[in-house]
């Protein structure tokens, strides 16, 4: 067969190659999957939702949202102990183009997060008047004491400092009210 093909005029060989290329292009178009349609959800990004923690995955935890939808809570969004079948509130972080849902345990949006983190730090400060944490503390120490990321901690501390509610010392953060009470006692 190779001998006969070699004997064909060049034009016929080119036509054969063009037909093969056209056929391959048609086959590829047929194999191209239809675009996925993103399902409609009864919630949108930023909404608070009820979630149930499911199995741990390499990326985080699979979650069951509103007893109906699957989602994923990434490891970098977890700052508390979680167990399978645990029910907690979560927030829709993102509904991806492929229809998958990313979940966070904290509200999304700068102001909401800052206010929540400020409240966490103020609550801890009101108990003792000081925190043995600073911007130099390890992320693990901050997570252990406050269940916050270091980034969230630094933002909240910065906000409290700007509001003149705290003093930042070398080895601790002191609530100004507590500092003033100590001075009044002396």
């Amino acid at each position: 067969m190779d001998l006969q093909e070699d004997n064909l005029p060049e034009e016929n060989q080119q036509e054969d190659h063009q037909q093969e290329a056209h056929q391959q292009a048609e086959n590829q178009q047929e194999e191209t999957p239809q675009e996925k349609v993103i399902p409609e959800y009864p919630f949108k990004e930023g909404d608070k939702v009820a979630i149930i923690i499911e199995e741990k995955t390499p990326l985080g935890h699979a979650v069951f949202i509103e007893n109906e939808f699957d989602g994923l809570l990434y490891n970098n969004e977890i700052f508390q102990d979680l167990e399978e079948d645990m029910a907690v509130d979560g927030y829709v972080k993102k509904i991806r183009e492929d229809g998958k849902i990313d979940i966070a345990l904290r509200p999304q949006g700068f102001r909401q997060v800052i206010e929540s983190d400020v409240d966490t730090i103020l609550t801890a400060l009101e108990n003792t008047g000081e925190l043995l944490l600073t911007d130099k503390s390890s992320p693990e120490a901050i997570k252990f004491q406050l269940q916050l990321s270091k980034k969230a901690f630094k933002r909240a501390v910065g906000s409290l400092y700007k509001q003149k509610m705290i003093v930042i010392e070398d080895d601790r953060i002191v609530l100004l009210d507590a500092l003033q009470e100590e001075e009044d006692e002396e």
Side-chain angles (χ1 to χ4, degrees):
M1 188 123 201
D2 287 338
L3 294 175
Q4 288 178 343
E5 198 170 282
D6 286 341
N7 293 335
L8 290 175
E10 272 186 46
E11 290 175 17
N12 287 346
Q13 286 180 1
Q14 285 178 344
E15 278 181 34
D16 288 344
H17 289 296
Q18 287 174 345
Q19 285 177 350
E20 284 177 29
H22 184 66
Q23 185 63 40
Q24 284 177 346
E26 282 181 4
N27 289 344
Q28 285 177 347
Q29 285 177 353
E30 289 173 10
E31 292 172 8
T32 304
Q34 296 291 327
E35 285 188 31
K36 285 189 176 180
V37 176
I38 299 174
E40 289 289 322
Y41 294 112
F43 44 77
K44 61 186 182 311
E45 290 180 9
D47 284 358
K48 185 175 185 178
V49 291
I51 61 172
I52 297 174
I53 305 299
E54 295 183 328
E55 72 274 359
K56 182 146 179 56
T57 71
L59 296 174
H61 283 275
V63 295
F64 199 46
I65 307 164
E66 297 290 336
N67 294 317
E68 192 173 347
F69 307 99
D70 291 320
L72 183 63
L73 174 62
Y74 287 95
N75 286 325
N76 67 343
E77 295 286 341
I78 301 172
F79 296 100
Q80 67 187 59
D81 293 331
L82 298 175
E83 297 176 13
E84 281 189 30
D85 299 324
M86 183 180 202
V88 294
D89 287 332
Y91 297 86
V92 178
K93 183 173 183 179
K94 184 168 181 73
I95 299 174
R96 299 189 333 213
E97 289 180 9
D98 60 5
K100 294 182 180 175
I101 306 166
D102 295 342
I103 295 292
L105 293 178
R106 299 159 37 108
Q108 300 301 292
F110 186 76
R111 286 182 197 261
Q112 292 170 319
V113 171
I114 288 284
E115 289 173 14
S116 172
D117 296 343
V118 164
D119 289 344
T120 298
I121 292 173
L122 280 176
T123 300
L125 283 168
E126 287 168 355
N127 291 335
T128 61
E130 65 183 19
L131 276 177
L132 297 177
L133 295 170
T134 67
D135 61 342
K136 305 288 187 231
S137 297
S138 72
E140 295 79 16
I142 295 166
K143 181 179 178 183
F144 178 76
Q145 287 191 34
L146 300 172
Q147 287 74 49
L148 295 174
S149 69
K150 184 167 182 170
K151 180 179 178 180
F153 170 77
K154 288 175 73 172
R155 272 193 294 209
V157 166
S159 176
L160 288 168
Y161 183 76
K162 286 178 187 173
Q163 295 175 51
K164 299 184 185 333
M165 296 178 75
I166 60 169
V167 172
I168 302 172
E169 297 182 353
D170 290 341
D171 64 343
R172 68 191 69 216
I173 296 169
V174 180
L175 185 61
L176 271 179
D177 291 343
L179 190 60
Q180 289 172 349
E181 287 173 12
E182 280 181 27
E183 290 173 1
D184 291 344
E185 290 174 6
E186 293 175 1

